[in-house]
Amino acid sequence: MYSKYRCIIGGLFIMVMFSCSGKLEVEGINLEDWKNDRYGCNGLRIQQLDQFQKIKNSFLGANNQSLIKTFGRPDRVILVDKSQSFFYYFFEPSSSKECPAYEGEETQPLKVMFRLNAINKVSEVTISRLEP
């Protein structure tokens, strides 16, 4: 009887430990500027590109909720299938649709892509203009 309750309590404790996620450590990135620069429209994210490139691999293994708590809502989310999805954060504007003041040609913007696996953990971080 005692071991039955111990297993239940232990299972609940483990679930609570893994379900709670906080912000990630992002050395040298101004998160307020990052969150205020949706779609890269204001040019604030691109100023932090060099620092982001230095720390991008530190996000491997982070979960999707930690990314959202740290960087804010992604600019774009793509669900590929049940086993993977992508979170996009743009460093540059791409069109007047997202950035009304943007007057350039519609291009593929520079962006960071977080590839998330089936258990919503980051398995790849890529900075590119290409689509996956």
Side-chain angles (χ1 to χ4, degrees):
M1 186 76 139
Y2 173 73
S3 66
K4 178 181 173 182
Y5 289 115
R6 196 166 108 184
C7 288
I8 292 171
I9 290 172
L12 289 173
F13 177 74
I14 289 171
M15 285 176 35
V16 168
M17 289 297 293
F18 286 105
S19 66
C20 298
S21 58
K23 286 185 175 182
L24 301 169
E25 293 292 323
V26 287
E27 188 176 315
I29 302 290
N30 184 328
L31 293 175
E32 187 157 329
D33 282 353
W34 183 279
K35 289 177 183 178
N36 290 328
D37 194 16
R38 297 274 299 158
Y39 296 99
C41 295
N42 300 325
L44 300 173
R45 288 182 185 169
I46 196 71
Q47 296 172 7
Q48 302 182 65
L49 177 61
D50 290 337
Q51 183 60 28
F52 194 89
Q53 286 176 325
K54 291 177 187 175
I55 63 170
K56 72 179 182 106
N57 289 333
S58 67
F59 305 121
L60 295 172
N63 67 33
N64 63 346
Q65 290 302 310
S66 293
L67 288 178
I68 293 169
K69 287 179 181 177
T70 304
F71 297 111
R73 192 176 75 241
D75 296 330
R76 188 172 298 153
V77 177
I78 295 180
L79 179 63
V80 178
D81 53 34
K82 292 181 182 179
S83 66
Q84 68 179 333
S85 59
F86 291 89
F87 278 12
Y88 290 87
Y89 293 92
F90 294 101
F91 283 104
E92 301 173 325
S94 63
S95 71
S96 58
K97 178 181 168 189
E98 289 95 9
C99 304
Y102 181 68
E103 296 177 1
E105 291 182 29
E106 293 203 10
T107 61
Q108 287 295 329
L110 186 63
K111 58 191 163 282
V112 60
M113 298 176 284
F114 291 95
R115 181 190 300 250
L116 299 144
N117 61 22
I119 57 171
N120 289 318
K121 299 280 185 181
V122 176
S123 60
E124 181 182 353
V125 182
T126 306
I127 298 172
S128 176
R129 293 183 192 283
L130 304 173
E131 294 295 321

